């Protein structure tokens, strides 16, 4: 019985790992939050995580990583993207299944090379979607706000937009899910989302764009990543600023950003951190 419970929890942990929370309850709350906006996307999220987890089990990937949901979160995001951009169709189902497998394989490939994958397997797989099939955005979704407050909606929808949800209530569910797993992660993410909005406003971004969370969802992911890297809040805000600038440039060049601004900003920070450690070690040897 315990074995079946553990298997049932793995895909939910994978969904929780989208925001670095290897917690089945958090994953369940995320699914419930998505369902507030779209039951189709909620089903896609769970199905994608199941496919990624099952593929990892069939390929005998490290069992500890499977149990923590590390092979479910990129597949979950790919599955949501397939349905979000291509609706409910044979094409989107094919993209969902194949994309979930490809993202899982990419995740393992990066792990073997000891490279920080984050959500890059999802981003690369979705970019391949866009190259092969034009974006359609056929799933009818409406933005749901808390109360026409740019700051509040911008922060909450920053959480929701990590999984394509322009819904403040969904964002609130995501925030609660993170707080259940780690209050510190939740607090940092709120601060980062607010900082992202403030910086975007300085860049002249319209309130209508700010309120839908476009300039805060990468900041949410940056904040939690920095917390896991045990950095202080000042460093976190600098990396958030970098992610906002990257997103601004990508939108200026009409490039599909997804979560790449978060990935690139954290990668660049990690390179600088690694270089500092090498330099410090060299100086100690002299």
């Amino acid at each position: 019985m315990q074995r079946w419970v553990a298997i049932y929890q793995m895909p939910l942990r994978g969904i929780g790992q989208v925001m670095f929370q290897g917690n089945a309850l958090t994953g369940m709350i995320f699914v419930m939050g998505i369902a507030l906006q779209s039951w189709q996307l909620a089903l896609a999220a769970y199905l994608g995580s199941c496919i990624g987890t099952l593929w990892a089990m069939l390929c005998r990937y490290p069992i500890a990583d499977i149990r923590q949901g590390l092979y479910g979160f990129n597949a979950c995001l790919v599955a949501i993207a397939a349905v979000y951009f291509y609706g409910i169709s044979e094409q989107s189902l094919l993209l969902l299944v194949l994309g979930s497998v490809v993202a899982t394989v990419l995740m393992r490939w990066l792990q073997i090379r000891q490279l920080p994958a984050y959500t890059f397997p999802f981003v690369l797989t979705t970019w391949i979607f866009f190259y092969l099939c034009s974006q359609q955005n056929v799933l009818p979704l409406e933005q749901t706000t808390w109360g026409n407050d740019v700051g509040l909606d911008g922060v909450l929808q920053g959480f929701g937009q990590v999984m394509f949800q322009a819904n403040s209530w969904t964002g609130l569910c995501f925030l609660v899910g993170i707080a259940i797993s780690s209050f510190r992660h939740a607090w940092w993410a709120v601060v980062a989302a607010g900082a992202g909005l403030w910086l975007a406003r300085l860049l002249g971004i319209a309130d209508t764009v700010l309120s839908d969370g476009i300039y805060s969802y990468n900041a949410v992911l940056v904040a939690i990543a920095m917390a896991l890297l045990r950095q202080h809040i000042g460093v976190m805000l600098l990396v958030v600023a970098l992610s906002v600038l990257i997103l601004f440039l990508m939108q200026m060049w009409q490039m599909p950003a997804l979560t790449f601004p978060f990935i690139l900003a954290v990668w660049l920070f990690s390179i600088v951190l690694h270089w500092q450690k090498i330099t410090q070690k060299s100086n100690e040897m002299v």
Side-chain angles (χ1 to χ4, degrees):
M1 181 66 180
Q2 289 182 347
R3 179 186 176 186
W4 285 109
V5 171
I7 292 174
Y8 173 77
Q9 289 178 348
M10 289 178 198
L12 292 176
R13 286 177 182 159
I15 297 169
Q17 287 285 8
V18 170
M19 297 195 195
F20 303 98
Q21 310 302 314
N23 185 309
L25 178 58
T26 295
M28 183 177 294
I29 293 173
F30 285 178
V31 173
M32 292 169 62
I34 298 171
L36 290 176
Q37 175 83 340
S38 166
W39 67 265
Q40 298 101 319
L41 292 181
L43 180 60
Y46 188 73
L47 183 58
S49 188
C50 285
I51 292 171
T53 301
L54 180 59
W55 182 263
M57 294 173 71
L58 291 174
C59 294
R60 299 181 182 275
Y61 292 170
I63 189 62
D65 291 346
I66 295 174
R67 288 173 177 166
Q68 286 301 310
L70 296 184
Y71 299 108
F73 72 94
N74 277 289
C76 163
L77 289 170
V78 167
I80 296 173
V83 176
Y84 179 81
F85 288 108
Y86 302 102
I88 306 296
S89 64
E90 293 180 357
Q91 179 191 41
S92 65
L93 182 60
L94 179 62
L95 291 174
L96 187 156
V97 175
L98 291 180
S100 296
V101 171
V102 170
T104 306
V105 171
L106 285 171
M107 178 68 180
R108 182 60 186 154
W109 186 86
L110 290 166
Q111 272 190 326
I112 291 172
R113 285 153 183 80
Q114 298 183 331
L115 297 171
Y118 299 120
T119 55
F120 185 66
F122 147 68
V123 170
L124 182 57
T125 304
T126 307
W127 280 347
I128 293 171
F129 285 179
F130 294 161
Y131 177 77
L132 297 175
C133 315
S134 60
Q135 298 178 48
Q136 298 176 31
N137 256 129
V138 297
L139 190 66
L141 296 175
E142 294 184 1
Q143 183 183 19
T144 303
T145 61
W146 183 282
N148 297 319
D149 185 287
V150 173
L152 183 58
D153 286 318
V155 168
L156 291 177
Q157 295 200 29
F159 286 85
Q161 287 284 9
V162 173
M163 300 192 214
F164 301 96
Q165 308 302 304
N167 186 312
S168 295
W169 291 102
T170 298
L172 181 61
C173 286
F174 287 3
L175 175 57
V176 170
I178 296 169
I180 287 173
S181 179
S182 171
F183 183 80
R184 179 169 180 260
H185 289 177
W187 167 242
W188 274 41
V190 169
V191 172
L197 290 175
W198 179 74
L199 291 167
R201 176 164 278 175
L202 290 181
L203 292 171
I205 304 301
D207 284 353
T208 53
V209 177
L210 297 179
S211 65
D212 66 11
I214 297 300
Y215 273 88
S216 48
Y217 74 92
N218 280 285
V220 166
L221 293 173
V222 166
I224 303 174
M226 289 295 102
L228 289 169
L229 290 173
R230 300 183 182 280
Q231 297 300 313
H232 57 76
I233 199 165
V235 171
M236 179 269 283
L237 291 174
L238 286 175
V239 183
V240 165
L242 179 58
S243 73
V244 169
L245 178 60
I246 293 169
L247 175 58
F248 180 76
L249 293 174
M250 291 186 75
Q251 290 200 324
M252 183 184 298
W253 298 329
Q254 298 184 330
M255 298 172 63
L258 303 174
T259 57
F260 189 67
F262 143 68
I263 298 165
L264 184 56
V266 177
W267 276 354
L268 291 173
F269 169 77
S270 297
I271 290 171
V272 171
L273 193 64
H274 181 66
W275 180 257
Q276 285 180 338
K277 290 180 179 178
I278 291 176
T279 303
Q280 184 179 4
K281 189 174 180 180
S282 299
N283 291 337
E284 290 175 353
M285 293 176 63
V286 174

